[in-house]
Amino acid sequence: MFPRRFLIAPFMRFSIRQTLMLRASGLAVLLGFVGSTVSAVAQENLTLIPKWSRFQGELVSLKPYDNPVQDVQLKAEFTPPVGEPVTVDGFWDGGDDWKIRFMPDMVGKWTFKITCSDEENRGLHNLEGAFLCTAPTGDSRLTRNGPIRVARSRTHFMHDNETPFFWMADTAWNGPLKSSELDWKDYLEVRRSQGFTAVQWVATPWRGAPDGDANGEEPFSGTEKISI
């Protein structure tokens, strides 16, 4: 069995961390699930994931790769209680660690299957599991109402549950690149108090930060094939 750790970003507010053991070809792989506290008893002892929250699976590759980003493709197919399956890409998270993230949008039992382009890598290929999606919880508009999309009338934005959303955005351009964590936190608190509902920025240095971020680091350089 491979020991797995839960990596929870500082901005995420989750009060429980649950695990599910998957078995494939006689090999045990532990996936981590991150979800908010719920009081319902899971059917079939399934892990509980609130609607519109984050499912996170953490896997360990049994093989090293010179360039994991381009040498291997990791995918997961999630099948909802009703409707067509949804396929998402997994990603390399450094070392031998890989992750799968997914947001369930329907209450009920979901099943999933994880596959890898390297079918001989039993740590990443041919893994199956299930979880129970429960009613939404959380203290933000997104976790209570779901992601934002264009309304059927094409005249305004709304959440997945059809709650209207007014796009009142400030443009911070290179704010995330040039600010400290404390600066960014203060900025968001001020804009929120002023009634803003969104912030727009660029994720590359562009004109405002030609020398990189506050630490002088750049997201990429050169013109050759990307390699990490």
Side-chain angles (χ1 to χ4, degrees):
M1 182 177 70
F2 297 98
R4 304 303 299 126
R5 62 187 181 279
F6 287 88
L7 304 178
I8 300 182
F11 60 85
M12 294 170 58
R13 297 179 180 178
F14 295 106
S15 55
I16 62 172
R17 307 174 189 179
Q18 298 175 306
T19 61
L20 174 66
M21 185 67 69
L22 303 183
R23 297 187 181 276
S25 302
L27 179 68
V29 179
L30 188 61
L31 292 185
F33 297 88
V34 183
S36 304
T37 299
V38 290
S39 59
V41 177
Q43 300 176 7
E44 304 176 30
N45 294 320
L46 297 178
T47 297
L48 305 180
I49 306 292
K51 183 178 180 180
W52 299 318
S53 67
R54 177 186 292 178
F55 163 101
Q56 177 165 292
E58 300 182 352
L59 303 91
V60 175
S61 173
L62 299 185
K63 297 174 59 177
Y65 298 98
D66 293 334
N67 186 8
V69 173
Q70 294 179 328
D71 290 347
V72 180
Q73 289 78 49
L74 184 69
K75 294 183 180 294
E77 182 179 85
F78 292 85
T79 302
V82 179
E84 297 297 320
V86 179
T87 300
V88 301
D89 291 317
F91 61 94
W92 176 62
D93 197 39
D96 295 325
D97 294 333
W98 291 76
K99 285 185 172 62
I100 294 284
R101 287 177 179 168
F102 177 69
M103 182 192 69
D105 60 359
M106 183 182 298
V107 172
K109 180 181 177 180
W110 288 71
T111 60
F112 61 88
K113 182 174 183 178
I114 300 173
T115 57
C116 177
S117 57
D118 182 357
E119 297 183 1
E120 296 181 356
N121 191 337
R122 295 189 299 161
L124 303 179
H125 184 64
N126 200 28
L127 308 174
E128 297 181 351
F131 61 85
L132 183 66
C133 180
T134 62
T137 61
D139 58 359
S140 74
R141 291 178 60 99
L142 294 176
T143 54
R144 290 195 308 269
N145 304 308
I148 299 166
R149 57 186 174 86
V150 178
R152 296 184 184 88
S153 64
R154 314 296 294 179
T155 59
H156 64 281
F157 291 109
M158 68 178 188
H159 289 274
D160 202 41
N161 66 356
E162 300 190 0
T163 298
F165 177 82
F166 182 67
W167 187 280
M168 178 67 175
D170 184 32
T171 302
W173 288 134
N174 297 109
L177 285 170
K178 304 298 287 186
S179 64
S180 67
E181 183 176 347
L182 181 59
D183 291 336
W184 189 244
K185 180 180 179 180
D186 289 342
Y187 165 76
L188 293 178
E189 289 178 350
V190 170
R191 285 294 182 259
R192 181 177 182 179
S193 69
Q194 294 171 332
F196 285 86
T197 60
V199 178
Q200 303 165 161
W201 71 80
V202 293
T204 57
W206 198 53
R207 299 177 183 175
D211 298 323
D213 63 13
N215 298 319
E217 297 180 348
E218 299 180 355
F220 57 84
S221 62
T223 59
E224 302 301 322
K225 185 177 181 180
I226 295 176
S227 177
I228 297 179

